[in-house]
Amino acid sequence: MDGNYLRVTQEELERALEDPNGFHDDTQDVLDELADADLPPEQARYLTTHKAWHAIAFLLGRAEFHVDVVHGEGEIAEEEDWGYGPPRYLSADQVESAAEALAVLDFDELLESTDPNDLTEADVYPLTWDEEDALEWVGHWFKPLPAFFSAAAEKGDSMILWIA
């Protein structure tokens, strides 16, 4: 299970809300085109946090982060399934708010008073928290998020998020 993000314009978000199945098909085409792009987060339209998504959600939840940047805030379609449940979204305003907060968030501060056992006890996926560098691995996948969100906010983009 991987955490996925796609930057979308307001028009694309409206289309996703109106025709989630058709938009999903279009998204697959876009992802196929972007698969080999390997762009820096400031230029990317798509980003994944791979299997670190659940740990990121756990850490941000403990920090009482005000926007759900892992699962999204709005539901696109309850019956639609893009892997492990329906896709969700963040509006352009929510992306901007999250970008501002992520820009000043220090990942090392998120880890303060966090022990890998905390993630194990909370059944945080992928349950490999006994490995020596597990929290550094999460940091590797977290670090592109602020730049990705900032670039989206600068363009006034919304975001679609899903776990697949």
Side-chain angles (χ1 to χ4, degrees):
M1 288 189 286
D2 295 339
N4 299 283
Y5 300 81
L6 181 66
R7 289 176 42 186
V8 295
T9 65
Q10 182 61 34
E11 294 78 26
E12 290 170 320
L13 178 59
E14 289 170 9
R15 173 142 188 274
L17 293 169
E18 291 170 14
D19 180 16
N21 191 34
F23 190 79
H24 180 254
D25 293 342
D26 294 346
T27 299
Q28 290 307 118
D29 293 340
V30 169
L31 295 179
D32 289 344
E33 290 175 19
L34 298 175
D36 297 326
D38 197 28
L39 297 171
E42 304 84 17
Q43 297 173 7
R45 185 165 178 214
Y46 168 77
L47 182 77
T48 183
T49 54
H50 289 281
K51 296 179 184 345
W53 65 271
H54 200 195
I56 293 169
F58 175 82
L59 293 169
L60 291 174
R62 285 179 69 173
E64 298 180 3
F65 199 79
H66 69 291
V67 177
D68 189 342
V69 298
V70 173
H71 300 101
E73 296 284 345
E75 192 169 270
I76 291 182
E78 187 176 313
E79 67 279 355
E80 189 69 29
D81 188 340
W82 285 22
Y84 291 93
R88 297 182 55 86
Y89 72 92
L90 296 173
S91 68
D93 289 341
Q94 291 166 328
V95 168
E96 182 178 10
S97 179
E100 291 170 0
L102 285 168
V104 297
L105 185 65
D106 183 339
F107 184 77
D108 291 333
E109 288 179 18
L110 282 179
L111 294 181
E112 285 180 10
S113 74
T114 299
D115 185 279
N117 290 328
D118 298 338
L119 286 91
T120 300
E121 289 174 19
D123 289 326
V124 173
Y125 177 81
L127 300 174
T128 56
W129 307 115
D130 57 345
E131 295 179 14
E132 186 176 325
D133 61 347
L135 295 177
E136 290 82 12
W137 172 80
V138 174
H140 169 79
W141 294 109
F142 176 85
K143 289 184 181 174
L145 281 175
F148 185 74
F149 270 79
S150 290
E154 286 176 24
K155 294 280 190 185
D157 286 342
S158 299
M159 211 168 285
I160 295 179
L161 304 84
W162 70 100
I163 308 297

